[in-house]
Amino acid sequence: MTDREAPATWLSQDAYDRLQAELDELIAGRPVIAAEINARREEGDLRENGGYHAAREEQGKQEGRIRYLQELLRTAQVGEAPNADSVAPGTVVTIHFDDDEEDTETFLLGSREIAATTDLTVYSPESALGKAILGARSGQTVTYTAPSGADIKVTVDRFEPFTG
């Protein structure tokens, strides 16, 4: 998928600030984990040194998170969700399932990173449901394949910009 095809990741200013603070903290912690690795390395035989291997594994996880956050924050759209005439990232969507208007769900379509800033369930635009409803309009019915393999039909009842 090229950058032009990838849906933009929308983040509220609060979510962006929280993730930037996490990134700054992780970067500031690099010397601490490096010192831990050096201390464990000096304990002796690396093949039998569980502390060394645990510290290296932690460093790998930390570096992966740093790279992920750097890319997310570099490409994110920050601010108010756009007003759209169809479902887009940054919208709160209400759907109903299988022609049963009583079986509804309301959720935010956006980055899972924003989940900590809202009580709404958050679905990623890359999820099966997210891909199916992207670009849909109110009243439109779409079908998607759930991870279980079942085909699920949903109708978009309404959508609106997320206001936090």
Side-chain angles (χ1 to χ4, degrees):
M1 193 183 288
T2 67
D3 286 340
R4 276 186 292 169
E5 294 170 342
T9 300
W10 174 84
L11 295 173
S12 67
Q13 187 64 54
D14 287 343
Y16 182 89
D17 293 344
R18 181 181 56 79
L19 293 171
Q20 184 64 55
E22 179 186 349
L23 176 61
D24 293 344
E25 185 176 313
L26 287 169
I27 290 172
R30 279 176 164 162
V32 174
I33 195 78
E36 177 71 15
I37 290 170
N38 285 335
R40 298 297 181 181
R41 183 180 296 129
E42 292 175 4
E43 291 176 355
D45 187 359
L46 296 181
R47 291 175 297 184
E48 298 178 13
N49 189 331
Y52 170 79
H53 293 291
R56 289 294 308 253
E57 185 176 321
E58 183 60 32
Q59 180 187 40
K61 289 178 186 177
Q62 181 176 329
E63 289 301 317
R65 181 71 175 161
I66 287 170
R67 285 189 301 276
Y68 171 78
L69 289 173
Q70 286 173 328
E71 182 63 15
L72 177 67
L73 294 173
R74 184 183 69 78
T75 60
Q77 291 183 357
V78 181
E80 295 296 317
N83 283 323
D85 59 356
S86 62
V87 174
T91 54
V92 177
V93 183
T94 300
I95 59 171
H96 68 266
F97 295 90
D98 294 327
D99 298 325
D100 180 359
E101 293 187 22
E102 300 299 314
D103 186 9
T104 66
E105 183 174 2
T106 299
F107 56 89
L108 172 61
L109 186 65
S111 170
R112 294 219 183 258
E113 298 294 342
I114 201 170
T117 65
T118 180
D119 291 333
L120 290 168
T121 299
V122 178
Y123 287 107
S124 166
E126 290 82 28
S127 68
L129 174 59
K131 286 179 185 176
I133 65 171
L134 268 177
R137 299 178 185 277
S138 293
Q140 187 173 352
T141 300
V142 298
T143 302
Y144 70 97
T145 302
S148 66
D151 286 336
I152 300 175
K153 185 169 71 169
V154 298
T155 301
V156 175
D157 290 332
R158 65 182 179 280
F159 58 91
E160 60 191 28
F162 177 67
T163 58

